[in-house]
Amino acid sequence: MKLSEETCEACRADAPKVTDDELAIMIREIPAWSPVVRDGILQLERIYTFRNFADALAFTNRVGAIAEEAGHHPAILTEWGKVTVTWWSHKIRGLHRNDFILAARTDALFCTDPD
Amino acid sequence: MKLSEETCEACRADAPKVTDDELAIMIREIPAWSPVVRDGILQLERIYTFRNFADALAFTNRVGAIAEEAGHHPAILTEWGKVTVTWWSHKIRGLHRNDFILAARTDALFCTDPD
């Protein structure tokens, strides 16, 4: 099953972080994403580019919609022609499998952009 | 005239940056904003807090609307319950009077929030 088709599970404070091996495997499905460490927390980040501000903001809203649906929320930085999306799991201060699922779904939003 | 009621002027690469004295005066009208230096560029930044993600994203869209109207675009970081807005003028790599006007207008959006 593709990551984007998996179901997110409830993330509790004692949920397991992804292991290095799991990360190495799952990142292959979302190769445009980079693992980044910020404030000591491992996160997944990708920059999407657009033709203008309006297209960027429209994408932000689409990402917001899947976040609300999943009950899991990223940081979304909207700028002229650019949206930076960062996923991580606040409760475990790191990456859960859910983050990879949502990253894959974010990619699917971009690929299906009517533009 | 209040900053929020002033008109933005076209910002060219040779437009003047605000002086320290001008900054000290104008910041009094937008006391919740902080001058920050990022990548060597002086910017204005404020964090707004909300009850949830949806309210934060709604505010992001309202900021986006005044940005489009002014033809001047900030960086807007949308997170659960929080929006960080950063204004600066790319062309002059610093702060123009326009940024203070837009910061004041951003505050007005927040103050008039029906919630």
Side-chain angles (χ1 to χ4, degrees), chain A residues 53 61 73 75-78 80, chain B residues 53 61 73 75-78 80:
Chain A
F53 183 81
N61 280 287
H73 301 87
I76 314 173
L77 177 62
T78 311
W80 194 97
Chain B
F53 183 80
N61 280 289
H73 301 88
I76 315 174
L77 177 61
T78 311
W80 193 96

Side-chain angles (χ1 to χ4, degrees), chain B residues 46-113:
Chain B
R46 178 174 174 183
I47 297 172
Y48 297 88
T49 55
F50 301 90
R51 293 172 306 181
N52 52 42
F53 183 80
D55 286 358
L57 184 56
F59 185 71
T60 291
N61 280 289
R62 295 168 72 182
V63 176
I66 61 166
E68 284 286 79
E69 188 185 346
H72 187 48
H73 301 88
I76 315 174
L77 177 61
T78 311
E79 298 173 271
W80 193 96
K82 186 165 81 165
V83 174
T84 306
V85 182
T86 312
W87 289 102
W88 78 99
S89 294
H90 298 67
K91 284 184 184 169
I92 60 172
R93 295 179 57 81
L95 291 176
H96 185 276
R97 187 175 189 88
N98 291 347
D99 297 302
F100 291 81
I101 295 171
L102 270 301
R105 287 189 196 163
T106 309
D107 278 349
L109 289 180
F110 188 63
C111 296
T112 58
D113 194 310

Side-chain angles (χ1 to χ4, degrees), chain A residues 84-104:
Chain A
T84 306
V85 182
T86 312
W87 289 101
W88 77 98
S89 294
H90 298 67
K91 285 184 185 169
I92 59 172
R93 295 179 56 81
L95 290 175
H96 184 276
R97 188 174 188 89
N98 291 346
D99 297 302
F100 291 81
I101 295 170
L102 270 302

Side-chain angles (χ1 to χ4, degrees), chain A residues 8-81:
Chain A
C8 290
E9 56 189 56
C11 183
R12 300 191 313 270
D14 61 350
K17 291 184 186 177
V18 297
T19 65
D20 291 350
D21 286 348
E22 289 168 338
L23 185 150
I25 292 169
M26 288 193 287
I27 202 83
R28 287 184 211 150
E29 274 196 54
I30 50 167
W33 291 77
S34 301
V36 297
V37 176
R38 199 164 286 128
D39 299 327
I41 298 172
L42 186 60
Q43 308 178 326
L44 285 177
E45 190 160 280
R46 178 174 174 182
I47 297 172
Y48 298 89
T49 56
F50 301 89
R51 293 172 307 182
N52 51 43
F53 183 81
D55 286 0
L57 185 55
F59 185 72
T60 291
N61 280 287
R62 295 167 73 183
V63 176
I66 62 166
E68 284 285 80
E69 188 184 347
H72 186 48
H73 301 87
I76 314 173
L77 177 62
T78 311
E79 298 173 271
W80 194 97

Side-chain angles (χ1 to χ4, degrees), chain B residues 27-38:
Chain B
I27 201 82
R28 287 183 211 151
E29 273 194 56
I30 49 168
W33 291 76
S34 301
V36 296
V37 176
R38 201 164 286 128

